[in-house]
Amino acid sequence: MKRKRKAALLILALALFLTLGPGDPKTVTAEALAQVEVDRPLVALTFDDGPRRSTTEALLDGLAQRGAHATFFLVGEMIPGNEDLVERMEQEGHQIGTHSYDHVYLTGLNARDFSRQVDRTESLLTGILGRTGFFLRPPYGKIDAAVEKRSDSPLILWSIDPEDWDDKNTDRIVEHITANAGDGDVILLHDIYPTSVEAALRVVDALHQKGFLFVTVEELACQRHVELTPGQTYRSFYP
Ligand SMILES: [Zn+2]
């Protein structure tokens, strides 16, 4: 993590911590918890393929109400017209990463095509947020040696996949996640489906009841003292 951004996150976390107190489970961030050591299970919800206004906005509303952080891996071509949603994600403490420009396999691409997919999407985000440093989730989770070599950011996969795109059955998705989620898991969902948004919010409610905190991938890694390295693949952050 860039030192400046880390410092900014820490100040924000400490401010939240001091303002809201350590007793409120919805407001303690992992950055703050990294300073005090946590004995609560942590999970990272991750959302691919957006942003899509009709669904992502409702998800952001629901996450804000619940004090849950998530990570969004955005598709470049979905960004124009949704710049305000990207800004909102950042302002509300979510993490933003990239998921290619138009959702193609990154394996087998030459350097120029890789750049057109990844660097072009990063540039769009830099234009909106004025910073760099976006983690990469390759579409379909496909990674090869060339992707590892060309990526200038950590590659983030997942440890729980309810295949929410398949039957779009909210009850089944919720059941799959709540039955399998443990401390340090990274959960894959897609915020372009209303069923997945509803499922995600129900999962937050159910796991809050069990004492879980919802944090970003970056916060989760930080809490587990994992130094994220460009070109390396991460699927989970178990204690
Ligand atoms: Zn995808």
Side-chain angles (χ1 to χ4, degrees), residues 3 16 56 58 79 88 95 107 132 139 170 181 190 209 212 215:
R3 190 174 295 167
L16 270 175
T56 305
I79 293 172
R88 185 179 167 193
Q95 186 181 348
T107 49
T132 55
T170 304
H190 300 80
Q209 292 289 322
F212 280 81
V215 295

Side-chain angles (χ1 to χ4, degrees), residues 60-80:
L60 288 171
D61 289 345
L63 292 173
Q65 283 162 8
R66 290 163 176 80
H69 285 173
T71 303
F72 293 86
F73 292 100
L74 305 181
V75 169
E77 67 176 0
M78 302 288 276
I79 293 172

Side-chain angles (χ1 to χ4, degrees), residues 12 22-23 33 42 51 71 103 118 120 127 146 169 195 197 226:
L12 177 70
L33 290 166
L42 305 171
T71 303
H103 210 274
V118 178
R120 187 179 176 193
N169 180 323
T195 42
V197 169
V226 174

Side-chain angles (χ1 to χ4, degrees), residues 48-49 99 103 190:
D48 290 5
D49 296 5
H99 192 53
H103 210 274
H190 300 80

